[in-house]
Amino acid sequence: TAGAAVAALGSLLARILGVSRTTLAMARDRHLPSALAAVRPRSGVPHRAELAVGAVVAVVAATADLRGAIGFSSFGVLAYYAIANASAWTLGPGEGRPPRIVPAVGLAGCVVLAFALPLASVLLGAAVLAAGAASYGVRRAVAARRA
């Protein structure tokens, strides 16, 4: 039990750090508030993004069913890797493209695993992705009208 708890904590810490870096990148691209793009000059740590992500994780851990939160998180990670595999498919031969079978198998594996999760996790994850895509589309349409 202790080993499983330590392994889970290590995995959670890695995800928090990874998500905070993604938050930093999204804030730099103005998809999230620009205050989250702050980086400590000496260490290069995105401290505000890490605090924000840590706060969200703490609230979820304190208020949600952890099995559901883990399922939702797993769906998000698998969706992220599915997108990465689909993107690798679009690389040209001069861009370091792997053999086509690699991103195809990776994409298929991510999709199969994502949809093998509990239905509630899949539905909530898909709803969040759809809301994000709709928000992005609206923001782009508004920006195009202003230009």
Side-chain angles (χ1 to χ4, degrees):
T1 302
V6 169
L9 185 59
S11 176
L12 176 63
L13 181 59
R15 283 200 180 162
I16 289 173
L17 294 175
V19 171
S20 67
R21 293 290 175 163
T22 302
T23 301
L24 166 68
M26 291 177 71
R28 284 182 174 167
D29 290 344
R30 294 190 170 88
H31 297 296
L32 290 173
S34 60
L36 296 173
V39 175
R40 291 207 186 273
R42 258 183 33 170
S43 62
V45 171
H47 59 285
R48 290 183 186 163
E50 285 184 357
L51 289 172
V53 169
V56 169
V57 169
V59 167
V60 169
T63 60
D65 171 39
L66 290 182
R67 290 174 298 203
I70 291 168
F72 173 76
S73 173
S74 297
F75 184 86
V77 169
L78 288 165
Y80 174 84
Y81 285 128
I83 292 167
N85 277 289
S87 297
W89 180 272
T90 68
L91 291 173
E95 297 175 296
R97 180 182 74 201
R100 292 278 184 170
I101 189 72
V102 173
V105 170
L107 176 60
C110 288
V111 170
V112 168
L113 286 173
F115 286 97
L117 291 167
L119 183 60
S121 298
V122 173
L123 293 177
L124 181 59
V128 168
L129 288 175
S135 172
Y136 180 76
V138 167
R139 289 182 64 210
R140 283 188 53 109
V142 168
R145 284 189 179 181
R146 288 184 183 161

